Amino acid sequence: MARLRESRLRILVTGGAGFLGSHLIDRLLAEGHDVLCVDNLFTGSKQNIEHLNLHPRFEFMRHDVTFPLYVEVDEIYNLACPASPFHYQHDPVQTTKTSVHGAINMLGLAKRLRCRILQASTSEVYGDPAQHPQTESYWGNVNPIGPRSCYDEGKRCAETLFFDYHRQHDLQIKVARIFNTYGPRMHHADGRVVSNFVVQALKGDPLTIYGDGQQSRSFCYVDDLIDGLIRLMRSDDSVTGPVNLGNPEEFTIKELAEKIISRTGAASGLIRSPSPVDDPMQRRPDISLAGSLLGWRPEVRLDDGLDRTIAYFRSRMDEILAI
């Protein structure tokens, strides 16, 4: 049973200037809460939160979560970490530190305040899965020493820390395993497949497919994902997770490229490049647990979500082309 949220809370969102964080903050403010947004702006952008500059219940603090933070809040959403391969491989040591030191610092804060804390984990904890679709009980197939390991293993270690704090200090934790999410405010050059394809199509360039394009992914629209995070945070104390949050509809990368070409009206073709190291061949969440515990299921179909995402990037093409 979900907890009632009738009073105004002061909520900390780390990584709040990022793609997911900024959408989460919009929802929390709309519900009447006070929000402290913390971000070091490595991948986050002030542009994502500039519409909130004059909001009376919004506060921004530039801070790196690998250093301790001393604030007073009622809840913590820990979203801080580069999430795209291009960004998290740029400085892999810092990526690991953000996941591990960041988790330690935010858990320490939650312990001091005796408040609940949600960890934004990832489907990457499953690695290149031997189980399909992936359930939360699956332990994963992760390379611990590859170029993606800074993110995959960093997030796995963060989950370990969350559950150890829960067992050792009786901390109220929530762990969400987030699958591929897309929508407005994605960074145009983050290297993720939806943003890559949309920007390439709008520019009239060929769409770059890595490998044969038969690897599969499932794509969750950002509004659905944010709804899942909030439902998880507000769930009964006994619900710790991990809980998969994603859209179980599965598409090959080639199918996605063809959809985006069609929906943009582009004349783009396809070009192929070698697959990145340790790129998983298939990824689809089993969301039975989210359905039974949270009453959650994504509602936005891929075609509708792509139309909204394309419209966002189309509105920013002059700016993108000028960079």
Side-chain angles (χ1 to χ4, degrees):
M1 179 182 297
R3 301 186 307 163
L4 292 177
R5 287 300 193 184
E6 297 178 352
S7 59
R8 179 194 292 186
L9 301 176
R10 179 166 167 79
I11 302 175
L12 167 62
V13 179
T14 71
F19 163 49
L20 293 182
S22 62
H23 283 278
L24 174 60
I25 288 171
D26 283 346
R27 282 283 300 275
L28 296 174
L29 289 172
E31 292 180 350
H33 301 297
D34 297 317
V35 177
L36 171 60
C37 169
V38 166
D39 205 299
N40 68 354
L41 301 181
F42 173 60
T43 57
S45 169
K46 285 187 175 181
Q47 186 175 51
N48 289 336
I49 53 174
E50 64 181 358
H51 62 291
L52 302 174
N53 285 342
L54 299 179
H55 197 293
R57 287 182 281 104
F58 173 77
E59 180 182 353
F60 173 73
M61 177 188 296
R62 187 163 184 169
H63 179 83
D64 188 325
V65 296
T66 62
F67 298 94
L69 180 64
Y70 303 100
V71 295
E72 302 296 322
V73 295
D74 302 304
E75 284 183 347
I76 302 169
Y77 287 83
N78 186 37
L79 275 59
C81 191
S84 72
F86 174 79
H87 286 138
Y88 68 63
Q89 292 177 30
H90 173 74
D91 188 344
V93 172
Q94 183 64 25
T95 295
T96 302
K97 289 173 67 177
T98 300
S99 287
V100 178
H101 291 187
I104 291 170
N105 288 328
M106 292 306 105
L107 286 163
L109 177 62
K111 177 187 171 187
R112 178 177 71 82
L113 298 173
R114 301 310 302 170
C115 71
R116 63 171 45 191
I117 179 171
L118 181 146
Q119 167 68 5
S121 191
T122 173
S123 62
E124 298 301 328
V125 301
Y126 299 123
D128 189 6
Q131 180 190 96
H132 194 73
Q134 293 79 58
T135 63
E136 292 86 351
S137 62
Y138 177 54
W139 289 358
N141 176 36
V142 177
N143 176 2
I145 59 170
R148 300 170 65 103
S149 305
C150 58
Y151 186 68
D152 302 1
E153 295 287 31
K155 288 289 192 178
R156 286 164 69 93
C157 185
E159 287 196 13
T160 300
L161 286 162
F162 265 69
F163 279 90
D164 284 340
Y165 266 77
H166 172 65
R167 286 184 287 259
Q168 187 170 340
H169 301 296
D170 195 30
L171 198 64
Q172 293 184 27
I173 65 164
K174 307 288 180 180
V175 176
R177 289 179 177 165
I178 298 172
F179 283 68
N180 290 60
T181 306
Y182 70 100
R185 300 184 197 158
M186 294 184 80
H187 193 287
H188 72 278
D190 65 5
R192 288 190 259 198
V193 65
V194 172
S195 51
N196 272 2
F197 283 174
V198 171
V199 171
Q200 287 175 329
L202 292 177
K203 291 169 65 176
D205 295 338
L207 275 59
T208 305
I209 289 181
Y210 295 97
D212 61 7
Q214 294 307 304
Q215 61 270 46
S216 68
R217 297 290 186 272
S218 56
F219 301 98
C220 185
Y221 189 67
V222 62
D223 289 356
D224 285 330
L225 190 281
I226 297 306
D227 181 57
L229 291 178
I230 292 174
R231 285 174 182 251
L232 178 57
M233 178 63 97
R234 295 175 184 173
S235 61
D236 188 85
D237 291 352
S238 64
V239 178
T240 60
V243 175
N244 289 339
L245 295 178
N247 194 316
E249 292 189 5
E250 187 176 10
F251 299 88
T252 68
I253 297 302
K254 186 172 183 291
E255 287 174 332
L256 176 68
E258 291 168 346
K259 273 183 175 292
I260 289 174
I261 289 172
S262 172
R263 305 198 82 78
T264 57
S268 302
L270 305 177
I271 57 173
R272 300 185 188 277
S273 289
S275 295
V277 176
D278 296 332
D279 189 42
M281 277 303 298
Q282 52 188 6
R283 187 60 58 73
R284 176 163 66 95
D286 183 315
I287 60 169
S288 302
L289 197 60
S292 62
L293 295 179
L294 311 179
W296 179 84
R297 186 172 184 85
E299 298 180 355
V300 179
R301 296 177 60 253
L302 181 60
D303 287 352
D304 296 332
L306 286 178
D307 286 345
R308 300 176 200 177
T309 306
I310 290 165
Y312 168 76
F313 280 110
R314 198 185 297 275
S315 72
R316 297 188 61 225
M317 281 309 294
D318 288 344
E319 176 187 340
I320 292 170
L321 291 172
I323 295 175

